[in-house]
Amino acid sequence: MGEGGIFKQLTKALVERCLDAELHTQLEEQRQAPDSATTKNRRNGHSKKTLKGDFGQVDIAVPRDRNAEFEPVLIPSGLFPSLRSLPISVKRSTLPMPLNL
C-alpha cells in the first residue's frame, strides 16, 4: 500500500473509467437529440486533476470535449477533490485483502 500501491492504482482506474463513461453518455445523448445534425461535439483529449485520499495523492486524466460542455458529475470542475467528497464511497474495510504474489 506504499507509493504507487494497489489501492492508489485501483482508485485511478475506477475514477478515470467513470469519467470516460460520463462523457460517452453525454456525447451519445447529444447525437440522439432531434437537432443532432448540427452537433459535432467530440472527445478532445484529457486534462490532469489531482485527487487526495488516505493513500496520498493520485493524478487522474479528466476527459474533455471539443465544445467544452462536459461538466463531470463525479468530480465537478473547479474543485480540489478528495475521495471523501465524491458521490461514491469506497471503504478500505470493504475491499478484499491484497494477494501476496
Side-chain angles (χ1 to χ4, degrees), residues 4 8 11 13 18 44 50 52 56 60 66 70 73 75 96:
K8 185 184 275 191
T11 301
C18 290
N44 191 28
T50 303
K52 298 175 185 175
I60 59 168
R66 289 184 184 246
F70 178 58
V73 174
I75 302 174

Side-chain angles (χ1 to χ4, degrees), residues 17-63:
R17 193 166 289 202
C18 290
L19 290 171
D20 282 336
E22 274 191 64
L23 178 58
H24 177 78
T25 301
Q26 178 178 329
L27 293 175
E28 283 299 314
E29 287 173 355
Q30 288 177 357
R31 283 188 196 112
Q32 294 174 0
D35 61 343
S36 63
T38 60
T39 303
K40 299 288 185 189
N41 198 7
R42 296 195 172 126
R43 292 179 180 268
N44 191 28
H46 293 84
S47 60
K48 181 180 143 186
K49 188 169 257 197
T50 303
L51 274 179
K52 298 175 185 175
D54 294 340
F55 52 79
Q57 296 182 351
V58 63
D59 291 330
I60 59 168
V62 179

Side-chain angles (χ1 to χ4, degrees), residues 68-82:
E69 297 172 350
F70 178 58
E71 179 65 33
V73 174
L74 184 65
I75 302 174
S77 299
L79 295 179
F80 298 102
S82 73

